[in-house]
């Protein structure tokens, strides 16, 4: 049986939906907050819930629960690794962070978790997910009203670009790896994904000029990009959770430094990547309408 954690979330929900559409697979969901008979209760903040949740599981799709301070995320991920080992799970597939994000503050918890998994007594596959296309889409949408008025799109990206990927592409890759891992266990075939790390980087990068072009297409007027100093952005993030503000600034710093350039992506081996500029334009259009 395959169990997906965190299925009230967008990524995990899409992975579970994809697995349930595959003939012959037994797939279940787990959640700290979701309800329903088909969903097991697994709260990483309450380790005592995990023994029952992971019972009888062959393949665990462990979706990171990263929206918290690092100490909370490390505690959550540490108990998942321990509980999976205790429950006799045969193969864990962990959704991590792509290599281009090595200098992001969120990398710490992902690399720590990868190291814990490497020492665990089960097979492991690490899916190093690229950044979601919704990140630049959110920036473009935030700047759309001003761009419509002034013809200027302002964002704190310098001249850097970030490789981004559709979340649904990441879900599709996870579905394929989990289904094949389960198949190999069930048939006794060599476990093709055991011990593998896949870089699921976006295959297209976007920066300020690209987002200005997207906005020009959506708004039907010329739009020019202008960078914003990080010092001007920091006060604007005061409404976010403190950890979230830190991670957001870290993302902008990395883009400015040109550190988010991907060198290699395994994504096309699993799915035909969706064109991210079209996705961003669609998200901006939908956001303007709502
Ligand atoms: N690649 C990227 O650009 C990017 C961006 C943002 C985040 N992420 C990471 O990718 C993960 C999935 O992204 P998403 O877009 O699906 O996020 P999302 O829709 O906001 O979902 C948040 C996830 O955190 C889980 N979670 C929260 N508290 C939990 C707890 N106590 N125990 C177990 N799970 C808990 C939720 O599961 P339940 O509520 O069902 O338990 C859900 O799967 C995030 O959690 C984060 O670590 C990646």
């Amino acid at each position: 049986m395959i169990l997906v954690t965190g299925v009230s979330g967008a990524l995990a929900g899409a992975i579970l939906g994809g697995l349930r559409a595959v003939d012959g697979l037994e797939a279940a969901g787990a959640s700290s907050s979701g309800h329903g008979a088909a969903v097991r209760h697994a709260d990483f903040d309450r380790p005592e819930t995990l023994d029952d949740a992971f019972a009888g599981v062959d393949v665990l799709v462990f979706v990171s629960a990263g929206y918290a301070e690092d100490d909370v995320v490390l505690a959550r991920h540490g108990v998942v690794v321990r509980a999976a080992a205790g429950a006799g799970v045969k193969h864990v597939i962990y959704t991590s962070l792509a290599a281009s994000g090595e200098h992001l503050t969120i990398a710490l918890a992902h690399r720590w978790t990868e190291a814990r998994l490497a020492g665990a007594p089960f097979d492991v596959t690490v899916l190093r997910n690229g950044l979601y296309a919704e990140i630049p889409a959110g920036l473009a949408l935030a700047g759309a009203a001003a761009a419509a008025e002034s013809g200027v799109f302002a964002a704190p990206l310098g001249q850097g670009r970030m490789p981004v990927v559709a979340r649904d592409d990441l879900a599709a890759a996870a579905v394929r790896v989990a289904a094949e891992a389960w198949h190999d266990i069930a048939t006794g075939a060599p476990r093709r994904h055991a011990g593998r790390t896949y870089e699921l980087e976006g295959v297209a990068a976007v920066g300020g000029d690209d987002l200005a072009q997207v906005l020009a297409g959506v708004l039907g007027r010329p739009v020019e990009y202008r960078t914003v100093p990080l010092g001007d952005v920091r006060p604007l993030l005061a409404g976010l959770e403190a950890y979230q503000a830190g991670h957001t600034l870290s993302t902008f710093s990395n883009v400015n430094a040109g550190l988010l350039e991907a060198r290699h992506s395994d994504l096309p081996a699993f799915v035909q990547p969706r064109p991210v500029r079209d996705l961003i334009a669609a998200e901006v259009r939908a956001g303007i309408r709502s």
Side-chain angles (χ1 to χ4, degrees):
M1 194 264 275
I2 304 174
L3 184 76
V4 184
T5 70
V7 294
S8 75
L11 178 67
I15 296 171
L16 180 61
L19 286 169
R20 285 188 166 151
V22 178
D23 277 345
L25 280 187
E26 196 193 342
S31 177
S32 63
S33 58
H35 299 289
V39 174
R40 297 185 177 194
H41 184 59
D43 184 344
F44 300 170
D45 293 329
R46 294 182 52 215
E48 69 279 10
T49 63
L50 300 185
D51 293 346
D52 283 350
F54 293 172
V57 172
D58 300 302
V59 176
L60 180 71
V61 182
F62 167 18
V63 174
S64 63
Y67 289 112
E69 295 289 356
D70 279 344
D71 56 345
V72 174
V73 180
L74 301 187
R76 286 176 175 174
H77 289 188
V79 300
V80 172
V81 176
R82 278 196 295 280
V89 172
K90 298 184 181 78
H91 193 140
V92 172
I93 297 163
Y94 172 62
T95 63
S96 187
L97 172 71
S100 63
E102 205 60 50
H103 296 280
L104 293 171
T105 48
I106 54 170
L108 184 150
H110 285 296
R111 298 296 177 257
W112 183 93
T113 306
E114 290 180 12
R116 292 297 170 288
L117 287 165
F122 40 69
D123 288 338
V124 174
T125 307
V126 178
L127 302 180
R128 285 185 156 187
N129 288 350
L131 295 179
Y132 300 152
E134 72 183 28
I135 297 171
L139 280 176
L141 183 58
E149 210 175 290
S150 66
V152 173
F153 166 61
L157 302 175
Q159 295 313 308
R161 302 170 95 210
M162 58 173 109
V164 290
V165 55
R167 196 199 270 104
D168 284 346
D169 286 349
L170 297 171
V175 167
R176 184 155 147 213
V177 171
E180 291 177 353
W182 181 84
H183 178 270
D184 292 346
I185 290 170
T187 60
R191 299 186 184 182
R192 67 195 108 163
H193 297 300
R196 305 292 301 272
T197 294
Y198 298 115
E199 296 289 347
L200 303 179
E201 302 265 19
V203 295
V206 293
D209 286 325
D210 306 290
L211 295 177
Q213 275 178 25
V214 168
L215 282 172
V218 171
L219 299 171
R221 62 156 296 166
V223 177
E224 153 196 335
Y225 167 62
R226 205 167 292 159
T227 194
V228 176
L230 294 183
D232 291 358
V233 174
R234 190 179 287 274
L236 305 177
L237 303 178
L240 297 178
E241 297 274 359
Y243 72 86
Q244 195 69 31
H247 291 328
T248 302
L249 268 175
S250 160
T251 305
F252 296 149
S253 298
N254 273 260
V255 182
N256 270 265
L259 289 171
L260 286 181
E261 299 285 344
R263 277 157 206 86
H264 161 77
S265 179
D266 294 309
L267 191 66
F270 294 103
V271 292
Q272 173 73 42
R274 279 158 238 237
V276 289
R277 278 196 194 201
D278 293 353
L279 272 180
I280 292 170
E283 285 197 33
V284 172
R285 272 193 203 95
I288 289 174
R289 272 198 304 271
S290 65

